[in-house]
Amino acid sequence: MIIPVLLAGGSGTRLWPLSRKSYPKQFTALIGDESLFAASARRLSGPGYAAPVTVTGSDFRFIVTEQLAEAGIDPGAILIEPEGRNTAPAVLAATLYAAAIDPEAILLVAPSDHVIPDSSAFHAAVEAGLAAVKEGKLVTFGIQPGYAETGYGYLELGAAPAGLAPVPLARFVEKPDAARAAQMVAAGNFMWNAGIFLFAAKDMIAAFHAHAPGLIGPVEASVTAAKTDLGFLRLDPVAWGAAEDISLDYAVMEKAANLSVVPFTGAWSDLGGWDAVWREGAQAAGGVGSSGPVTAIDCENSLLRSESDGLEVVGIGLKNIFAIATPDAVLVADMSRAQDVKAAVAALKKKGAKQAEAFPRDHRPWGWFETLALGNRFQVKRIVVHPGAALSLQSHFHRSEHWIVVEGTAKVTIDETVQLVTENQSVYIPLGGVHRMENPGKVPMVLIEVQTGTYLGEDDIVRYDDVYARGQGAKG
């Protein structure tokens, strides 16, 4: 059985404003109706594949379980990184975890934000790579380049490809400039580096010992001292913090001699920018891609997206432009500047704009909420609670709350009183009142919350009991 390892901790800033630190692109439906993470998990499942090992951050742990459950996939093991340390520590942690269970384990490591439409073709490529793994090779997957892309690294093949048969890897090539990219594509022996790896756990551990021995101690200690938390495995933060922040390519793959490449000619994209989303998505006449309430007049080779039902995006005479609108931010740029979106996010962070990293909609394990109006001493929120879910039993020092149920039924606890609040009914929670809301029903429960007080921050919360064991703080 192959153990899939899903890397799901990145922030995807090049797809801002739809991808942000608080809810990155892998959990978003950028192409079709399914999130990239769910599609990746589904692609790496089926006969011959074990339950996945997912490596992610603490803020995303419940999103991972929710999306895997919706996809009907066994969640397997979910390793929580105390902080992002790049792909080398993440892959090593997953490898050590798997090897402790089965020393002969074979792992397939993949980012969870890629698009590979033909799963059968990809499975065939993985099957072809197994032959090289049995010979002790570390296998990577090369993508047949469709154009001279400067946003990808490249793999130089050591032999001419023959179907899916693994070939030796001559060297890795960093992201090139346009002229060099064109030369490599024309040469015919270079492929895009997909960042997908297949290997036996024992061989990858040996490669770390040989080429990145400094990572072994802290990562191994972090896995050994990991704590179980509601089915998640929290890697030890002290040991993890001592691990170098470095990619798997730099730490191991570029130094190892036992590398093979499986050439993959099927469709693939890492959706590394809005130009890639435009290429991979459906297009109408004139090469216009659209999503949500948009109107395009005399436009060509452009992408228009609106992420709000109440926000109409209208493009007139646009050419090679992407225009992306969310409820709190709008991005308009030339297709050729797609890679510069990351710089725009950095500029927003520098000026302190909250849109740089956070969405108006805040996802929690029980559902989500968004702010509808905010003043100096009041805030109005819409809160959606999943069926059977419950917020923590909590109190606030600086605000009182008024809840109005608009859909479904809420089970409300205020101090010693427990009551059902149905549609069009409301309840008041005084300052300091110990309270909780639950959804005892079979459909999502929606309520409007009106907060009043001197301080309305999410960190004004004291938790007394929480089914999600989040501890104290805004999210825990």
Side-chain angles (χ1 to χ4, degrees):
M1 298 285 281
I2 296 172
I3 301 174
V5 177
L6 294 167
L7 304 179
S11 58
T13 54
R14 286 177 294 177
L15 287 176
W16 184 90
L18 192 56
S19 175
R20 307 187 196 180
K21 183 180 180 180
S22 67
Y23 201 81
K25 70 171 183 175
Q26 59 264 31
F27 302 117
T28 303
L30 280 163
I31 303 292
D33 298 326
E34 190 171 45
S35 77
L36 299 177
F37 173 78
S40 297
R42 193 185 302 279
R43 183 168 58 250
L44 304 186
S45 63
Y49 291 84
V53 174
T54 303
V55 185
T56 190
S58 182
D59 287 350
F60 309 137
R61 64 196 189 278
F62 293 109
I63 299 173
V64 165
T65 55
E66 180 181 321
Q67 293 198 354
L68 288 174
E70 290 176 352
I73 295 172
D74 181 343
I78 299 174
L79 276 56
I80 306 300
E81 296 178 291
E83 58 182 303
R85 306 300 288 170
N86 216 316
T87 54
V91 171
L92 179 56
T95 303
L96 291 170
Y97 172 83
I101 298 172
D102 178 8
E104 300 299 317
I106 295 176
L107 280 65
L108 176 61
V109 175
S112 61
D113 56 0
H114 289 187
V115 173
I116 303 177
D118 191 342
S119 294
S120 296
F122 180 71
H123 286 177
V126 172
E127 185 67 25
L130 286 175
V133 170
K134 292 176 181 176
E135 297 174 356
K137 303 291 187 181
L138 306 177
V139 175
T140 186
F141 293 81
I143 308 298
Q144 182 66 45
Y147 52 92
E149 173 61 61
T150 61
Y152 300 151
Y154 285 70
L155 306 172
E156 182 179 359
L157 304 184
L164 292 175
V167 299
L169 173 65
R171 65 186 176 106
F172 287 83
V173 180
E174 293 297 318
K175 296 176 181 178
D177 59 25
R180 179 60 178 145
Q183 291 173 356
M184 289 191 293
V185 171
N189 64 324
F190 290 86
M191 307 194 85
W192 290 336
N193 181 6
I196 302 173
F197 306 100
L198 180 70
F199 52 83
K202 60 183 179 182
D203 294 328
M204 182 57 78
I205 294 171
F208 270 94
H209 277 287
H211 306 295
L215 284 171
I216 293 290
V219 175
E220 191 170 50
S222 187
V223 173
T224 301
K227 303 294 185 183
T228 301
D229 175 12
L230 291 180
F232 305 106
L233 191 67
R234 288 187 177 272
L235 300 173
D236 180 73
V238 176
W240 187 258
E244 183 181 2
D245 186 329
I246 188 171
S247 72
L248 182 65
D249 281 358
Y250 283 149
V252 173
M253 304 302 281
E254 294 186 4
K255 302 172 184 176
N258 58 329
L259 300 179
S260 288
V261 181
V262 174
F264 182 67
T265 58
W268 168 90
S269 176
D270 74 341
L271 293 186
W274 285 112
D275 54 340
V277 176
W278 169 71
R279 281 192 297 269
E280 296 299 320
Q283 298 174 12
V288 176
S290 63
S291 177
V294 303
T295 300
I297 300 172
D298 295 331
C299 297
E300 57 180 289
N301 298 333
S302 294
L303 174 65
L304 281 70
R305 289 182 70 118
S306 172
E307 301 302 321
S308 173
D309 291 338
L311 196 160
E312 183 80 18
V313 173
V314 179
I316 302 176
L318 302 181
K319 185 175 182 179
N320 300 323
I321 295 293
F322 55 87
I324 316 299
T326 62
D328 66 333
V330 177
L331 171 67
V332 181
D334 190 275
M335 284 285 184
S336 65
R337 305 296 298 274
Q339 296 301 310
D340 293 333
V341 174
K342 190 173 184 178
V345 175
L348 289 171
K349 287 178 64 177
K350 187 175 181 180
K351 68 185 286 187
K354 62 182 180 180
Q355 290 92 336
E357 296 185 333
F359 276 106
R361 179 173 293 186
D362 198 327
H363 291 265
R364 299 296 171 93
W366 44 259
W368 55 268
F369 68 83
E370 61 184 348
T371 297
L372 303 178
L374 178 63
N376 289 333
R377 294 179 60 91
F378 77 91
Q379 180 171 209
V380 181
K381 290 181 178 180
R382 172 166 55 179
I383 298 177
V384 177
V385 183
H386 297 317
L391 281 68
S392 61
L393 185 67
Q394 59 186 253
S395 67
H396 310 293
F397 289 113
H398 301 288
R399 70 176 186 257
S400 58
E401 296 172 343
H402 189 184
W403 294 344
I404 305 99
V405 175
V406 294
E407 292 183 28
T409 298
K411 181 182 178 182
V412 176
T413 299
I414 305 174
D415 293 324
E416 302 301 322
T417 302
V418 180
Q419 60 184 303
L420 293 179
V421 183
T422 59
E423 292 181 9
N424 297 320
Q425 293 184 330
S426 64
V427 65
Y428 175 72
I429 299 92
L431 181 71
V434 178
H435 60 281
R436 164 182 272 160
M437 74 172 77
E438 305 172 55
N439 181 358
K442 304 293 185 182
V443 298
M445 183 267 289
V446 183
L447 62 80
I448 302 300
E449 177 181 86
V450 180
Q451 302 176 353
T452 56
T454 56
Y455 179 73
L456 305 172
E458 288 302 315
D459 54 346
D460 177 22
I461 181 173
V462 177
R463 290 193 179 94
Y464 304 98
D465 179 65
D466 183 37
V467 297
Y468 307 106
R470 287 170 292 172
Q472 301 300 328
K475 290 190 177 182

